[in-house]
Amino acid sequence: MGVEMEIVAQEDSIAKHGNGIDRSVSSIKQELSRALSLASEQEASEYKKLLWEWRELRVDGPECNSFLECRLKALSQMVSYINEREHSELLSYILGMSLWVHSAETSNSLVEFVVNLASVNGGCVAQCLDMLVRNFLPPSCGLPAFVDFFSRRAVAKGMSKETLMQKKVDHMNRKESVLDCVHSALQRISDFVPITSMHLHRIVLQRMPHRIIDKEWNALYMENMLRLEQAAKSEFLKSQMLLAVVDRLIEIDVEIRWEDIVKEDDCNKVFVLDMEFDEALDDNEACVGPGSEAQHAAGISQHSAGGSLTLCAVADKMDVLMDMTLQHLQRCAEAGRIEQVFNILMTSFQSTILDTYKSKFTQFLIFYMCSQSPLTLSEKFTSLLCEILTSSQRAPNTRMSAAAYLASFLARARYVPLCIVSSCLRRMVEWCISYTPRQAEKVSLTVDTGVHGVLYSACQAIMYVLCFKMRALLDDSVERATLCKLPLNDLLRHSLNPLKLCLPSVVEEFLKQATAAGLVDRSLSTEVNKNISALVSNSFGGINRLDMFFPFDPYLLRRSDRFIRPSFLFWSMVQSLDDDVSDSDFEGNRAKTETHSSPDISQKPQQSLDSDSMEDDDSVIEDDEDLDEFEISMNRMSLTPRDYSPVLRKAPVVPLPLPAKLTPEVLQQYSDVFL
């Protein structure tokens, strides 16, 4: 009823205005009604003429906009005459149009037609939604799935793809008006058609461009997805859009490998992350034919001379998308949607992020959301991780990953209340002390991470957290009593000998602080010191040594770092309990502690550093404080990109001080430290 009233209002408006176009609409309606009604007849000459006129229309001709506007206005008032089977060819022409290339009047008429058709004809809903989603990107993106009917015809007649892509500036100048039009139309259809969210979710995922295309188009498509998430009335659509965004971030995240850190002169960040381009597409991608979107995207992506995607093309893309997503989460928090969005992220965390091997950045979405409500959300997140870690129904690898997330989160999040840190430590220690191998494992009570990996992961998590938070816990009178009651000596003297399997750098630092605080016997430190040569030679624990990553290691993406840094605890901020340790062991952490004391985690993120505008700005890499934090955080208490602690090297190495500026010559000089 609402749609019919809207169409009548349009007809009244046309009758009221009596200009040339509106008078033409009235006469064209009669022609179109005859053509549409005769479409199924053998002698459908009028319908064929209509198709021919549409198909052969010159887009650059002076009559184009007038032709399209008149016919679209007429058709929008007679959508009940249109049948998706009998008029499929005409619909392919109309719904194949782009809002980015025609005049505002023509685009508005096209949108009215699409909304009316979807609202009146249920069989055309999916086609109309697909047309609107295809307009998330302009034809100048060069991706076949987003090139409109008229542009495809022009390319077929000899226009080069480069000419099409050169129209990008004109198209992007219309970005705001086009996207406002698209999302307004989607909202109107959703109001009239209840099942819109089911169709729209599927179409958005199907139309999503390949992850390797340029960051600009990935970002623009994701911007539309986040806009859908924010405006949608359907909770299903909201959750599906956010889950899809996280999945896309993970896809790009895993392409970046820490072990491929290399030097590159033109990078705006401290290091360049080099990713080998995976030419072997997965099974679904391998099935697409020549000229497919994936292959075309590969052709227009930025590659280095060696055929690999550099940080500027991959990590920078990840940075842009993370920054966009974090901004969206900030808006959600300001709108009072913290709990709702957090629950969606937790669903994604359990289904995707947790078991993604060495995800580096995506998990910081959760880190940021927890900072918006530290007590409530931190308690929920850590409780979930503790449940996964201690659940015998979960796979061992998942439980070990949960231990790594729990350790890294408690250690690095400055906003986590000490009561939560203390509670998680107590829960982990109690579980480790009560650990009893299953019947099938009792035959192997030897030191073996393959059998008892969950125990070793939990022990390492306990030690890692205490390396960062021991001083803070002891300075609190209530938590100090709880910490002193933990049976740490019993834990470390466990029959399965966790000290032999946990990372030597973590064990060494933990024992140093715990011994100074009187929490463990000095004999444990003596025992470890006796085996230091074995640790260095990699024989202590052998191939079974636990090589676990810490997912909240320092965040290395420069633009989006503004959301993470205010809430992040760098190793340089940690104040040691061992007053006898030399400055070289802690790289000046006491001096840094004063600089970073009393953080205000409620402050707004700092202004974004636009890498595109700072290529010649030495301040990007000359900030002594940032460099110190980076070096120290990447040293003893971080595994990202790798642990450079001298204790893990075959020969002891004295840490070299970093200069103020990292030039290619300096990096070459210090290659024995970094590479």
Side-chain angles (χ1 to χ4, degrees):
M1 176 64 71
V3 178
E4 293 177 349
M5 292 177 64
E6 190 170 311
I7 295 174
V8 170
Q10 291 174 8
E11 293 178 327
D12 291 340
S13 175
I14 290 173
K16 184 184 299 183
H17 292 88
N19 57 40
I21 290 181
D22 291 335
R23 285 197 298 270
S24 299
V25 170
S26 178
S27 61
I28 289 174
K29 282 179 62 176
Q30 299 178 6
E31 298 175 11
L32 291 177
S33 63
R34 288 195 302 270
L36 293 174
S37 62
L38 297 173
S40 59
E41 303 294 331
Q42 284 187 338
E43 296 297 329
S45 57
E46 293 188 53
Y47 180 67
K48 291 179 180 178
K49 177 184 176 183
L50 173 62
L51 296 178
W52 181 87
E53 289 177 337
W54 211 288
R55 185 170 55 245
E56 299 301 322
L57 182 66
R58 286 184 53 194
V59 181
D60 55 349
E63 77 285 356
C64 175
N65 282 321
S66 176
F67 174 91
L68 292 174
E69 186 180 353
C70 290
R71 279 154 184 77
L72 288 170
K73 281 189 174 183
L75 286 169
S76 66
Q77 299 167 27
M78 48 194 305
V79 289
S80 58
Y81 289 82
I82 297 178
N83 183 288
E84 63 272 18
R85 290 183 298 274
E86 295 179 358
H87 308 121
S88 59
E89 188 174 355
L90 177 63
L91 286 175
S92 70
Y93 296 156
I94 300 175
L95 299 180
M97 294 173 61
S98 174
L99 300 174
W100 298 82
V101 299
H102 299 289
S103 67
E105 294 77 10
T106 300
S107 295
N108 290 335
S109 299
L110 175 59
V111 167
E112 288 302 319
F113 170 77
V114 171
V115 172
N116 290 349
L117 179 63
S119 304
V120 171
N121 192 330
C124 294
V125 172
Q127 289 176 273
C128 294
L129 293 176
D130 184 72
M131 177 270 178
L132 293 170
V133 172
R134 182 173 49 75
N135 278 277
F136 280 3
L137 297 183
S140 55
C141 71
L143 302 177
F146 297 91
V147 178
D148 63 296
F149 161 70
F150 290 113
S151 297
R152 284 199 305 271
R153 191 191 63 184
V155 171
K157 291 186 176 182
M159 185 181 77
S160 66
K161 292 183 179 179
E162 289 72 20
T163 301
L164 173 63
M165 297 170 70
Q166 287 172 1
K167 298 180 180 180
K168 170 184 170 182
V169 175
D170 293 336
H171 291 169
M172 295 307 292
N173 285 337
R174 301 186 56 191
K175 172 188 166 184
E176 295 304 324
S177 61
V178 169
L179 296 187
D180 286 346
C181 195
V182 168
H183 287 277
S184 173
L186 289 172
Q187 188 61 57
R188 291 167 62 190
I189 294 175
S190 299
D191 292 339
F192 291 129
V193 185
I195 63 171
T196 294
S197 60
M198 302 297 293
H199 288 295
L200 191 54
H201 152 248
R202 173 180 54 81
I203 293 168
V204 170
L205 295 186
Q206 289 177 345
R207 285 286 185 186
M208 186 178 292
H210 198 277
R211 66 182 181 276
I212 67 173
I213 71 166
D214 291 345
K215 67 178 180 181
E216 183 174 17
W217 307 126
N218 257 303
L220 182 54
Y221 198 88
M222 185 176 287
E223 177 184 339
N224 282 281
M225 294 174 67
L226 293 174
R227 191 165 175 172
L228 266 182
E229 194 280 334
Q230 188 171 19
K233 297 179 181 178
S234 165
E235 294 301 323
F236 170 79
L237 185 58
K238 284 180 177 290
S239 64
Q240 292 303 311
M241 288 301 99
L242 193 54
L243 291 173
V245 166
V246 175
D247 287 346
R248 172 45 51 92
L249 291 172
I250 280 287
E251 289 175 0
I252 299 174
D253 197 339
V254 298
E255 298 289 351
I256 306 171
R257 302 182 300 180
W258 288 133
E259 59 267 27
D260 288 334
I261 291 182
V262 297
K263 303 183 292 290
E264 186 154 317
D265 298 345
D266 63 349
C267 183
N268 291 318
K269 300 177 176 58
V270 179
F271 294 104
V272 171
L273 311 178
D274 187 67
M275 183 203 77
E276 292 299 325
F277 177 62
D278 186 5
E279 295 182 353
L281 300 175
D282 58 35
D283 292 340
N284 291 332
E285 294 162 351
C287 294
V288 295
S292 67
E293 180 178 316
Q295 291 176 333
H296 187 68
I300 63 175
S301 296
Q302 295 176 337
H303 288 72
S304 68
S308 60
L309 295 174
T310 64
L311 174 62
C312 295
V314 182
D316 192 43
K317 181 192 301 181
M318 186 71 189
D319 196 5
V320 169
L321 298 183
M322 281 294 295
D323 189 71
M324 180 183 298
T325 308
L326 287 165
Q327 287 186 58
H328 178 76
L329 295 182
Q330 183 183 54
R331 290 192 294 269
C332 290
E334 293 170 350
R337 297 180 55 212
I338 293 179
E339 292 278 350
Q340 175 195 15
V341 173
F342 180 78
N343 290 336
I344 297 173
L345 289 178
M346 284 296 94
T347 299
S348 180
F349 176 77
Q350 294 188 70
S351 63
T352 305
I353 301 175
L354 180 60
D355 288 321
T356 298
Y357 182 63
K358 294 192 176 180
S359 170
K360 294 160 287 297
F361 307 114
T362 310
Q363 60 266 22
F364 278 92
L365 299 178
I366 298 169
F367 188 95
Y368 174 75
M369 284 304 295
C370 288
S371 72
Q372 302 304 296
S373 181
L375 180 60
T376 303
L377 299 189
S378 295
E379 197 279 331
K380 285 186 176 182
F381 185 45
T382 54
S383 293
L384 172 65
L385 293 172
C386 284
E387 289 173 8
I388 295 173
L389 170 62
T390 59
S391 173
S392 59
Q393 305 301 315
R394 297 274 191 161
N397 285 343
T398 300
R399 298 171 68 186
M400 293 171 69
S401 184
Y405 269 95
L406 185 60
S408 195
F409 180 75
L410 293 175
R412 296 292 191 174
R414 300 168 71 180
Y415 51 78
V416 176
L418 288 178
C419 60
I420 293 179
V421 177
S422 176
S423 175
C424 292
L425 285 171
R426 177 181 53 79
R427 187 169 178 179
M428 285 192 288
V429 171
E430 290 176 353
W431 180 83
C432 290
I433 293 295
S434 64
Y435 176 81
T436 303
R438 295 174 298 180
Q439 189 65 35
E441 297 172 343
K442 290 183 178 179
V443 296
S444 176
L445 290 178
T446 59
V447 176
D448 188 348
T449 56
V451 179
H452 310 294
V454 179
L455 171 67
Y456 297 127
S457 297
C459 291
Q460 180 166 283
I462 294 166
M463 291 187 286
Y464 187 79
V465 173
L466 287 173
C467 286
F468 281 83
K469 296 296 178 74
M470 189 182 299
R471 181 62 174 263
L473 290 169
L474 290 174
D475 286 345
D476 185 283
S477 58
V478 175
E479 303 308 333
R480 180 186 180 91
T482 303
L483 179 60
C484 291
K485 292 179 182 179
L486 294 180
L488 295 178
N489 280 305
D490 295 340
L491 172 68
L492 300 178
R493 294 188 184 279
H494 195 286
S495 60
L496 291 173
N497 204 341
L499 292 183
K500 282 191 176 182
L501 275 295
C502 296
L503 290 169
S505 56
V506 175
V507 173
E508 183 188 17
E509 180 61 36
F510 165 74
L511 289 177
K512 192 177 294 182
Q513 292 198 41
T515 301
L519 296 177
V520 300
D521 296 339
R522 290 190 176 273
S523 58
L524 281 172
S525 296
T526 304
E527 179 182 342
V528 171
N529 288 332
K530 288 181 180 179
N531 290 282
I532 193 67
S533 60
L535 283 168
V536 172
S537 64
N538 200 31
S539 62
F540 193 57
I543 61 173
N544 288 313
R545 195 178 64 200
L546 190 66
D547 185 18
M548 179 60 68
F549 80 113
F550 297 115
F552 294 112
D553 267 359
Y555 189 83
L556 302 184
L557 300 179
R558 184 174 293 275
R559 180 186 284 103
S560 50
D561 178 62
R562 63 197 174 108
F563 290 94
I564 307 303
R565 180 173 292 265
S567 307
F568 192 84
L569 181 65
F570 291 90
W571 177 242
S572 59
M573 305 175 190
V574 177
Q575 195 168 15
S576 172
L577 289 165
D578 185 1
D579 294 331
D580 297 328
V581 177
S582 65
D583 290 341
S584 62
D585 283 332
F586 287 94
E587 287 92 16
N589 60 340
R590 290 181 177 82
K592 301 291 292 181
T593 302
E594 297 180 3
T595 304
H596 298 284
S597 60
S598 303
D600 180 10
I601 63 173
S602 63
Q603 62 180 311
K604 296 292 183 182
Q606 301 172 4
Q607 181 66 34
S608 172
L609 297 177
D610 187 350
S611 60
D612 293 333
S613 63
M614 304 186 71
E615 292 182 359
D616 298 323
D617 187 357
D618 290 341
S619 66
V620 173
I621 56 177
E622 285 188 337
D623 190 325
D624 292 342
E625 182 174 331
D626 285 351
L627 280 175
D628 288 344
E629 287 180 356
F630 182 86
E631 178 199 4
I632 297 166
S633 297
M634 295 316 232
N635 201 339
R636 294 173 49 119
M637 300 311 297
S638 169
L639 298 183
T640 307
R642 63 179 69 138
D643 188 358
Y644 293 113
S645 174
V647 76
L648 293 182
R649 289 185 171 272
K650 293 185 178 180
V653 175
V654 178
L656 297 176
L658 281 175
K661 185 174 180 180
L662 293 178
T663 63
E665 293 76 15
V666 170
L667 286 172
Q668 180 64 34
Q669 179 184 353
Y670 287 79
S671 60
D672 61 326
V673 176
F674 292 108
L675 301 179

